[in-house]
Amino acid sequence: MIKLEGVTKIFPRQKVPAVKNLSMEVAEGEICVLVGPSGCGKTTTMKMINRLIEPTEGKIYVNGRDVAEVDPIKLRQNIGYVIQEIGLFPHMTIAENIATVPREKGWPEDKIQERVDVLLELVGLDPEVYRNRKPADLSGGQRQRVGVARALAADPPILLMDEPFGAVDPITRAHLQNEFLSLQKKMKKTIMFVTHDIDEAIKMGDKIAVMRAGELVQYDTPDRILSAPADDFVVALVGHNRALKRLNLVKAGDVARKDVPVAKGTCSLEEAKKLLQADNLPVIVIVDGLNRPRGVAYKEELLRRNGQAHLQEIMTPLESVADEDATLYDALSTMLNYGERYVVVMNHNKEFQGIITFGYLLELMKENGS
Amino acid sequence: MFVTCGGAAAVYFVENPGSAMAARVLTYNHLAVLTAQHVGMVVISSLLAATTALPLGILISRPRLRLLGTILENIVNIGQTIPSIAVIALSFTVLGLGFNTALFALWLYSLLPILRNTYAGIMSVPPGVREAAVGMGMRPWRILFKVELPLAFPIIMAGIRTAVVVNVGTATLATFIGAGGFGHLIVTGIMVRRLQLLLSGCILSALLAMLCDHLLGMVEEKVKASI
Amino acid sequence: MSFWFLVVSRWQSILESTWEHILIVAVAVCVAVVLGVGLGVMITYWRSLAGPVLYFCQVVMTIPSLAMLGLLLPVFGIGYKTGVATLILYSLLPIVRNTYAGIEGIEPAIIEAAKGMGMREITILRRIKLPLAWPVILAGIRTAVVMIVGIAAIASYIGAGGLGEFIFRGISQWNLQLVLVGAVCVSILAVLADGLLKRVEGRTRR
């Protein structure tokens, strides 16, 4: 979808090239993250794709066409562009901001209005509330959402994003990242994403391109970047806690043990003991009629008790839970937060998906061999 | 450089008056008188304005007089929109013709930018800085001279520069109320249609304005370096 | 009380002169806005011209207005034309300077976003740059108007008409009341123009 061939950029009155003989390819529907320290040429690389900067040498193809031969205005109208400062037009309403590119393209007015509402809905802002507001009335996170909506306005197949979540606080950032990822699941855009934050790169990228001093150091999947860094620079960039970071790459729902027994609250203690005996689990999960976890009973507690009681009576309310889309990293921090040796994984309908125990987590990490 | 240019222009026009009528006006003696009048008006009125406006500006920026400060600031803002010719004309109706009237008008008119900028400059000192000075146990006088005035200096100086440059221009109007100056050359030039007179008046007053601006710029640099 | 007597007995000629005064200022400002904004926009594209153009305007400002009137007199002759030309020259600096500063002061990210979305330069200028710079440009226009209301009064001396005539006729005829009428009217006009434009400015900033 996007292809760079031997691209070099030397800015006027500078000897050192900002980008040196760069070749890479981004496949359709993928997020490619350019990551590296400031001044490594990642933003320059990105801006050459929509011709905000013209390369000194080399060719760039978008959709098989050499961008140098496309009218830059037409080219940019078909490539969404999001930057860290967002650059919303302060004198226009949110709706007018989002409608910029459709207007430039000469869409009919009713189609534009419809599109604006769809987009606001898509990025989680109520059109009725926000349509006629000015950018100054929005919070940083909301502005960033409008920025994304504006870039998506004419439904471009390609998005360029330059540190799009860099200017918001960490909590909002994580929020926006997750939302954007789930949006991307539906949209399947081809995305070039620039960041200096390796954690963000690992989280967002299907592929990561590590750059240093205008050169491509390693272009690989996040897993390979973490498990097989090409050189010391990449090692230093990803940091010493690589193993921990790899937990970010695995979804809790994908690895949770699903073959574990669950019990209804009405189940007798004896029965529950039998169920647990087969497995080396610290707890037994108690579910309701709809297979939704309600609580847990600890193994020690269960073994200590005798008699005719029901499982319900020794149930502890559920605390250590994770969404199936959460990463193993999130799951681990949940465990540590509650001081438990397990985390119960649920799907979006709050149904039981499986369980991840601390011991199991260690085994997983060993298997992956870091 | 400005002085040389001015001198050269003056010499040129005196040597080549172009007509008998112009020659009568353009003598070295007469030029010297006009220069003295013009420079005198500007220098005296500016000095007076500075010595009145600076303490006044400092005074109204004191916390106790803040209300007075805001009121005075508004008055000054309105005063500044009043055209210079109106100020001269009004002074004339009160004080009649003469050098002193011109001096009064110029003083009044250059008072305003200096007063406003002194006030604005001191008010622009970040409250944190002042608080830190108070917190370190500096006396009010020391705070004024060591903290507030040095920080406000660029703004105050900009006010003085504006005032003086405007003053040079306004002083050309003083000839209408009989105070002489380069305006005399211009007005005579217009009346008798002699370009030489006109040009000499224009060039000399414009050069004087630039010279003042330049000199004050140098003073500003010097003072800035010494703070 | 003869001041009020004068005002009442001559109110028609006062109104006429005021109207003349307003007209000359308005004509000059209209031309200056077109020229000044054009020039200001131009120097944001040809950066190397910015320095010289702004310096030129600065130099014009240091020339005393009476001198400027005298200098332009041989070119345009006695009367209205010289007055208007002088007023235009003086209003250029604030307008050009503020247009330039207003456009340069726009957050670069906004321009970059506009470019990145594929807006044409002319559209960016019309829909982004000028609307965003407008409050600053308007402030420049206000400065210019206040200044040239005063200069227009001086221009009466070379026969451009307006309220200044009262002042000069009053001085030469030693008629203090006449001078007072002229000075007061010019001052009121300047203060009113300032207030009016300030209000317009406040509205655009919101």
Side-chain angles (χ1 to χ4, degrees):
Chain A
M1 197 71 173
I2 303 173
K3 196 164 135 197
L4 282 74
E5 267 181 15
V7 173
T8 298
K9 174 68 192 178
I10 303 170
F11 283 107
R13 287 189 295 280
Q14 270 181 13
K15 279 189 195 136
V16 194
V19 174
K20 213 185 304 176
N21 196 20
L22 187 74
S23 298
M24 63 186 286
E25 205 169 328
V26 184
E28 192 169 341
E30 264 188 6
I31 301 182
C32 165
V33 181
L34 293 175
V35 68
S38 59
C40 71
K42 51 193 194 302
T43 299
T44 306
T45 305
M46 197 190 76
K47 284 185 182 172
M48 285 192 284
I49 294 170
N50 66 357
R51 291 187 61 185
L52 283 176
I53 295 175
E54 300 285 353
T56 314
E57 252 174 65
K59 291 216 181 285
I60 297 172
Y61 299 93
V62 167
N63 237 341
R65 289 182 69 188
D66 184 351
V67 294
E69 282 155 23
V70 185
D71 171 26
I73 300 292
K74 292 259 162 57
L75 177 78
R76 290 172 196 158
Q77 286 178 359
N78 289 312
I79 299 179
Y81 188 55
V82 188
I83 52 179
Q84 178 179 351
E85 305 89 344
I86 322 173
L88 292 183
F89 307 138
H91 59 304
M92 297 184 184
T93 63
I94 300 304
E96 285 170 332
N97 262 288
I98 296 176
T100 307
V101 178
R103 285 238 164 87
E104 289 293 296
K105 285 187 155 186
W107 288 16
E109 197 55 30
D110 51 336
K111 195 179 161 199
I112 293 180
Q113 291 314 326
E114 200 182 315
R115 181 71 184 155
V116 166
D117 286 359
V118 168
L119 282 164
L120 277 173
E121 208 80 73
L122 192 68
V123 296
L125 295 173
D126 183 359
E128 293 302 324
V129 179
Y130 292 101
R131 203 186 288 132
N132 294 320
R133 292 207 179 166
K134 291 274 179 79
D137 304 331
L138 304 189
S139 70
Q142 288 171 330
R143 268 182 240 170
Q144 205 51 267
R145 285 163 206 245
V146 175
V148 171
R150 186 172 70 170
L152 293 171
D155 204 14
I158 297 173
L159 279 183
L160 303 181
M161 308 179 89
D162 189 355
E163 308 229 5
F165 309 129
V168 290
D169 63 277
I171 295 170
T172 314
R173 186 184 312 149
H175 223 80
L176 290 171
Q177 286 168 342
N178 292 340
E179 273 176 27
F180 186 75
L181 281 176
S182 60
L183 206 59
Q184 163 68 357
K185 253 190 198 166
K186 288 177 246 162
M187 302 188 304
K188 293 271 169 242
K189 304 277 182 202
T190 308
I191 297 168
M192 186 77 113
F193 191 108
V194 165
T195 181
H196 66 265
D197 177 1
I198 186 70
D199 294 323
E200 186 172 54
I202 292 167
K203 184 171 179 183
M204 304 299 288
D206 294 311
K207 288 275 193 64
I208 293 178
V210 180
M211 289 184 73
R212 178 187 45 180
E215 282 180 288
L216 194 59
V217 182
Q218 187 173 7
Y219 184 39
D220 232 323
T221 61
D223 193 37
R224 295 275 302 161
I225 297 271
L226 286 173
S227 60
D231 62 9
D232 290 348
F233 175 73
V234 183
V235 172
L237 188 73
V238 296
H240 47 78
N241 51 354
R242 278 190 289 152
L244 215 47
K245 279 181 181 158
R246 287 187 65 198
L247 292 177
N248 268 324
L249 300 174
V250 186
K251 293 259 166 71
D254 294 344
V255 296
R257 292 181 57 187
K258 298 183 171 103
D259 54 340
V260 295
V262 291
K264 296 264 170 60
T266 51
C267 176
S268 74
L269 290 183
E270 288 306 315
E271 237 172 297
K273 275 184 200 165
K274 255 182 249 161
L275 280 174
L276 254 188
Q277 243 142 35
D279 266 295
N280 184 25
L281 287 174
V283 290
I284 183 161
V285 178
I286 302 166
V287 297
D288 64 9
L290 295 168
N291 200 29
R292 291 184 297 207
R294 282 286 161 230
V296 292
Y298 290 98
K299 192 177 183 179
E300 299 93 332
E301 181 79 13
L302 194 60
L303 295 179
R304 240 189 303 125
R305 287 290 199 102
N306 280 312
Q308 291 302 311
H310 289 305
L311 205 45
Q312 220 152 10
E313 285 150 38
I314 59 166
M315 181 174 89
T316 324
L318 206 53
E319 277 182 322
S320 181
V321 286
D323 200 69
E324 65 175 339
D325 278 340
T327 63
L328 273 189
Y329 190 90
D330 298 332
L332 179 61
S333 21
T334 308
M335 267 188 242
L336 295 174
N337 266 345
Y338 291 107
E340 298 286 5
R341 282 169 296 154
Y342 69 92
V343 61
V344 176
V345 181
M346 303 195 295
N347 67 11
H348 295 311
N349 299 326
K350 306 272 177 224
E351 286 164 353
F352 179 74
Q353 276 289 303
I355 191 165
I356 298 170
T357 62
F358 195 69
Y360 180 62
L361 200 62
L362 287 181
E363 262 171 55
L364 268 178
M365 288 169 73
K366 232 182 279 167
E367 264 170 47
N368 275 317
S370 37
Chain B
M1 194 189 74
F2 295 111
V3 177
T4 343
C5 281
V11 169
Y12 175 82
F13 284 120
V14 173
E15 298 301 325
N16 305 282
S19 72
M21 211 190 304
R24 236 176 295 142
V25 183
L26 278 174
T27 58
Y28 287 115
N29 271 341
H30 193 204
L31 269 187
V33 170
L34 291 177
T35 309
Q37 280 172 336
H38 204 106
V39 173
M41 262 189 289
V42 170
V43 169
I44 297 174
S45 65
S46 298
L47 281 178
L48 283 177
T51 44
T52 32
L54 273 173
L56 198 58
I58 293 169
L59 199 68
I60 60 171
S61 69
R62 297 303 94 196
R64 252 181 269 167
L65 294 172
R66 198 134 293 171
L67 184 68
L68 182 68
T70 31
I71 295 169
L72 221 57
E73 198 191 7
N74 284 318
I75 295 174
V76 167
N77 279 339
I78 294 173
Q80 279 209 295
T81 59
I82 293 176
S84 50
I85 182 78
V87 174
I88 290 203
L90 288 173
S91 311
F92 164 73
T93 60
V94 181
L95 297 173
L97 289 177
F99 189 77
N100 288 339
T101 309
L103 216 53
F104 174 77
L106 294 181
W107 166 75
L108 196 62
Y109 205 59
S110 41
L111 198 64
L112 301 181
I114 305 177
L115 182 62
R116 186 174 71 163
N117 280 33
T118 306
Y119 179 72
I122 293 180
M123 294 309 274
S124 75
V125 174
V129 173
R130 199 174 286 128
E131 210 173 294
V134 175
M136 285 187 292
M138 284 173 83
R139 279 168 214 293
W141 277 109
R142 302 267 307 157
I143 295 177
L144 179 63
F145 284 104
K146 291 284 160 190
V147 179
E148 289 178 322
L149 284 182
L151 284 175
F153 178 75
I155 301 177
I156 298 175
M157 201 59 207
I160 295 178
R161 271 172 93 163
T162 316
V164 172
V165 171
V166 170
N167 212 341
V168 174
T170 311
T172 57
L173 302 176
T175 179
F176 292 122
I177 54 168
F182 295 139
H184 181 71
L185 289 175
I186 300 171
V187 168
T188 318
I190 291 174
M191 280 199 303
V192 302
R193 308 266 188 119
R194 287 297 176 275
L195 196 61
Q196 284 78 13
L197 285 180
L198 202 67
L199 276 178
S200 57
C202 294
I203 291 172
L204 287 175
S205 47
L207 280 175
L208 183 62
M210 289 187 225
L211 176 71
C212 288
D213 193 42
H214 187 75
L215 282 180
L216 287 170
M218 284 194 336
V219 171
E220 190 178 351
E221 290 302 310
K222 278 260 168 64
V223 178
K224 238 186 230 167
S226 71
I227 306 179
Chain C
M1 272 353 261
S2 56
F3 172 67
W4 294 111
F5 177 73
L6 189 79
V7 172
V8 173
S9 63
R10 295 234 195 148
W11 68 273
Q12 200 158 9
S13 86
I14 293 176
L15 272 188
E16 254 168 47
S17 291
T18 309
W19 178 242
E20 227 171 59
H21 206 99
I22 294 175
L23 214 61
I24 191 174
V25 168
V27 168
V29 164
C30 286
V31 177
V33 166
V34 174
L35 279 179
V37 172
L39 209 56
V41 166
M42 199 182 81
I43 58 177
T44 60
Y45 290 108
W46 287 282
R47 293 287 165 88
S48 51
L49 284 181
V53 167
L54 289 174
Y55 183 75
F56 170 76
C57 294
Q58 191 97 51
V59 169
V60 168
M61 292 291 280
T62 56
I63 300 175
S65 42
L66 184 64
M68 180 67 82
L69 284 166
L71 283 177
L72 293 182
L73 199 57
V75 187
F76 295 104
I78 288 274
Y80 190 70
K81 272 200 232 154
T82 306
V84 172
T86 308
L87 299 194
I88 291 172
L89 269 177
Y90 278 104
S91 19
L92 276 184
L93 174 73
I95 298 177
V96 171
R97 192 223 289 128
N98 281 32
T99 305
Y100 180 70
I103 291 179
E104 290 291 294
I106 297 172
E107 217 184 302
I110 291 171
I111 308 295
E112 200 197 309
K115 265 193 198 149
M117 285 192 295
M119 284 175 97
R120 270 161 246 278
E121 192 48 54
I122 183 79
T123 325
I124 296 180
L125 181 64
R126 224 188 54 223
R127 295 207 36 216
I128 311 289
K129 285 183 178 173
L130 284 181
L132 283 177
W134 185 239
V136 186
I137 298 175
L138 208 54
I141 295 176
R142 180 162 66 93
T143 312
V145 168
V146 170
M147 188 170 56
I148 68 174
V149 165
I151 298 176
I154 302 171
S156 302
Y157 186 73
I158 50 125
L163 289 164
E165 274 187 25
F166 289 114
I167 298 178
F168 291 114
R169 222 182 313 142
I171 292 178
S172 63
Q173 298 170 1
W174 201 267
N175 183 341
L176 295 189
Q177 269 68 39
L178 209 55
V179 176
L180 206 57
V181 168
V184 168
C185 286
V186 168
S187 305
I188 292 177
L189 202 59
V191 173
L192 281 184
D194 187 50
L196 188 76
L197 287 170
K198 217 182 241 171
R199 185 163 291 187
V200 177
E201 218 177 296
R203 201 162 295 167
T204 58
R205 270 187 211 273
R206 238 179 296 133

